[in-house]
Structure formats: structure tokens, C-alpha cells
């Protein structure tokens, strides 16, 4: 009888300690905010080869973005002068454009160079024209001097100063003269773009490349004629293209144009006396 009571009590305790059944909540959906996630690999194809997993969009693509329309913060003021990215747009030019501008420089009386390059002046052409002039001047000058010494059976020594002198002359001329002219035009309230002036003066020197090559002919009078023609063509090219712009400077525009023309002629005279003249 005692055992039956104990059994009944144990059954009651066991039944009382069992928790109630929890109903099945069904399918549970967990939602995440899209702003905190990033799809990898990207669903869209970025690049020329389709189906290749590329880095996320926030990867560093500084050098793949064009200068214009870039989302990156740009340096302002004079700090841009020390930024390589600020010069990229002036070297983004096609070979056809450079050849077209070289052709215009050989037609000095057309006066359309500034109009064609007003929206897209480049520094690529002027840089390589000056660099080519330096090596051509050094090579032609050395060759002509060598031949002149051998004809007269005299000893010849290579003059390394020709390269240094040519580099200082051409690089210095296309840098300092446009800078000075830029300040003068700004003073007379006829400002012009500085890069536009660099571009104009750089292409104006191209005519001296064939002139230097023709200086191989061992005739002094012929060298004077070649130097004079090249100087007049270069000076006319610069003066004619700047005349329409400088007219707005007032009555003194003629003096400015005349000074520009004479300065370019002075450059050709210096080239004749130093590079076109052979002394033995």
C-alpha cells in the first residue's frame, strides 16, 4: 500500500516537471541591410575579359581614372603644379593630332594653329620636338665638325658641351619666353593660357630640325640662307597666331607682336652662330 502511494506521487511529480510543447514557428526569415554587405565577386563584368572575378569597386584605381570627371579630391591652388595627374591631360594626344599641328607650324601664314588647339593644347609635341632638336643639334654639329677637321687633316676632339648647351637653350627658351609673355599679356589685359603658349612655342621650333639637317652642306652662304628661312618661318608662325589675340591689348599690340617676331629671329641667329658655323 505504501509502495502504491509512492508510485502515484512520483508519477505526479514527473508529469508536473515536463514543460509544455513549443509550437513550430515555421520558416524563419532573417533580413540584413544591403548597405552593410558587399558582393564578391562583382556581378557586373569590369574589364575586357568577361567572366573574370575582379576586385571590389572600392579598390584603388587611381591611375585608371581620367583626370576630368574624377571622383577623387583634387589638389587646389599651386599644389596642383606638383601633381603628376594634373599634367596627364596635356600628354593625352594622338599621333595624327601631333602630325597635323606640325604641318600647321610649317604653314606660318595660315594663323589657325591657336584656334585648332584652343580647347586641347598639348605638351607632348613640344617636349619631343625640343628633345629631338637637342640630339639632332649635337649629332649634326659633331659630324660637321669632324668632317671639317678631317678634310684639313687636323686633330678632332668631341665637345660634350654641345649637348648641354643645346638642352639649356631649347628647354629654357620654350619655358622662359612663354612665361614672360604670359605675364606681359596679363598686364595688358589680354591674358592667354599658359599651356597654350607652351604649345605654340614648342611647335614653332620644329622647322629648325630640317634646317639643322641641311646644315651638313659645306657652304657657308647656304647655311646662312637656311638659318634665315627657318628663323623667318618660326617667327611668322608665332607672331601671326598671337596677333589676333594681342590686338585686344590696345594700341601697343604692334610693339608686342614685333618684339615676339624679333625674339624668334634672335633665336635663329644664335643657332646659326653656334650650331650652323664650323670653325677649324
Amino acid at each position: 500500500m505504501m509502495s502504491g502511494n509512492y508510485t502515484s506521487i512520483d508519477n505526479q511529480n514527473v508529469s508536473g516537471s515536463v514543460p509544455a510543447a513549443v509550437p513550430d514557428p515555421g520558416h524563419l526569415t532573417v533580413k540584413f541591410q544591403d548597405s552593410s554587405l558587399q558582393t564578391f565577386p562583382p556581378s557586373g563584368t569590369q574589364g575586357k575579359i568577361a567572366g573574370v572575378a575582379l576586385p571590389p569597386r572600392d579598390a584603388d584605381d587611381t591611375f585608371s581614372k581620367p583626370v576630368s570627371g574624377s571622383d577623387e579630391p583634387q589638389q587646389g591652388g599651386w599644389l596642383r603644379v606638383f601633381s603628376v595627374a594634373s599634367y596627364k591631360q596635356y600628354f593625352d594626344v594622338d599621333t595624327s593630332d601631333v602630325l597635323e599641328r606640325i604641318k600647321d607650324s610649317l604653314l606660318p601664314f595660315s594663323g589657325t594653329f591657336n584656334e585648332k588647339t584652343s580647347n586641347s593644347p598639348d605638351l607632348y609635341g613640344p617636349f619631343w620636338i625640343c628633345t629631338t632638336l637637342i640630339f639632332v643639334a649635337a649629332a649634326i654639329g659633331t659630324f660637321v665638325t669632324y668632317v671639317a677637321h678631317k678634310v684639313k687633316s687636323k686633330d678632332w676632339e668631341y665637345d660634350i658641351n654641345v649637348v648641354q648647351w643645346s638642352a639649356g637653350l631649347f628647354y629654357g627658351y620654350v619655358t622662359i619666353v612663354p612665361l614672360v609673355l604670359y605675364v606681359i599679356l596679363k598686364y595688358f589685359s589680354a591674358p592667354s593660357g599658359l599651356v597654350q603658349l607652351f604649345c605654340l612655342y614648342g611647335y614653332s621650333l620644329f622647322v629648325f630640325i630640317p634646317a639643322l639637317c641641311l646644315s651638313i652642306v659645306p657652304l657657308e652662304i647656304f647655311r646662312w640662307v637656311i638659318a634665315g628661312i627657318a628663323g623667318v618661318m618660326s617667327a611668322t608662325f608665332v607672331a601671326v597666331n598671337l596677333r589676333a589675340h594681342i590686338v585686344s591689348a590696345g594700341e601697343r599690340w604692334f610693339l608686342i607682336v614685333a618684339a615676339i617676331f624679333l625674339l624668334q629671329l634672335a633665336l635663329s641667329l644664335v643657332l646659326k652662330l653656334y650650331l650652323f658655323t664650323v670653325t677649324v
Side-chain angles (χ1 to χ4, degrees):
M1 186 170 181
M2 290 293 293
S3 60
N5 292 333
Y6 286 127
T7 302
S8 177
I9 292 172
D10 293 339
N11 292 336
Q12 291 177 2
N13 292 335
V14 172
S15 62
S17 62
V18 176
V22 180
D24 185 7
H27 182 69
L28 181 60
T29 302
V30 179
K31 294 184 178 180
F32 296 92
Q33 295 183 357
D34 294 337
S35 60
S36 62
L37 293 178
Q38 186 178 39
T39 303
F40 185 86
S43 57
T45 302
Q46 301 178 13
K48 297 182 179 180
I49 303 177
V52 178
L54 299 177
R57 290 185 177 181
D58 59 348
D60 184 14
D61 55 352
T62 303
F63 298 98
S64 63
K65 289 184 178 181
V67 176
S68 58
S70 176
D71 296 334
E72 297 179 1
Q74 298 291 334
Q75 292 179 337
W78 287 101
L79 293 177
R80 295 186 59 189
V81 178
F82 304 99
S83 175
V84 177
S86 60
Y87 296 97
K88 290 171 62 177
Q89 57 182 324
Y90 302 121
F91 289 85
D92 185 15
V93 60
D94 297 331
T95 304
S96 59
D97 295 332
V98 175
L99 294 177
E100 181 68 22
R101 295 173 183 186
I102 289 176
K103 186 180 71 175
D104 290 339
S105 69
L106 298 177
L107 302 173
F109 294 99
S110 61
T112 59
F113 183 86
N114 268 1
E115 296 178 3
K116 294 180 179 179
T117 61
S118 59
N119 296 326
S120 58
D122 73 282
L123 298 178
Y124 179 87
F127 172 77
W128 283 111
I129 288 174
C130 291
T131 303
T132 304
L133 269 172
I134 294 170
F135 287 99
V136 169
I140 297 297
T142 300
F143 176 76
V144 171
T145 305
Y146 172 80
V147 172
H149 279 76
K150 290 301 180 181
V151 168
K152 296 188 177 182
S153 300
K154 292 186 177 182
D155 295 334
W156 173 82
E157 293 182 359
Y158 176 70
D159 187 9
I160 189 62
N161 294 325
V162 175
V163 178
Q164 300 176 356
W165 187 90
S166 301
L169 175 66
F170 294 121
Y171 284 143
Y173 186 84
V174 298
T175 302
I176 297 175
V177 174
L179 277 173
V180 174
L181 182 60
Y182 173 78
V183 175
I184 294 175
L185 293 179
K186 201 172 186 64
Y187 175 78
F188 285 101
S189 300
S192 178
L194 182 58
V195 178
Q196 180 74 19
L197 293 176
F198 286 145
C199 181
L200 177 66
Y201 271 87
Y203 281 99
S204 71
L205 299 182
F206 178 82
V207 68
F208 291 107
I209 296 179
L212 283 172
C213 295
L214 291 175
S215 66
I216 297 179
V217 179
L219 294 175
E220 190 64 19
I221 185 63
F222 179 79
R223 290 170 178 167
W224 273 108
V225 171
I226 292 300
I229 293 175
V232 171
M233 290 180 63
S234 179
T236 304
F237 171 72
V238 176
V240 170
N241 279 279
L242 288 177
R243 181 186 61 181
H245 180 78
I246 297 177
V247 167
S248 60
E251 298 178 354
R252 298 182 180 180
W253 71 269
F254 180 78
L255 297 178
I256 300 176
V257 174
I260 292 172
F261 186 87
L262 294 177
L263 185 61
Q264 204 79 357
L265 283 181
L267 173 65
S268 65
L269 179 61
V270 172
L271 293 177
K272 169 63 186 74
L273 295 177
Y274 190 81
L275 296 178
F276 289 69
T277 302
V278 180
T279 57
V280 180

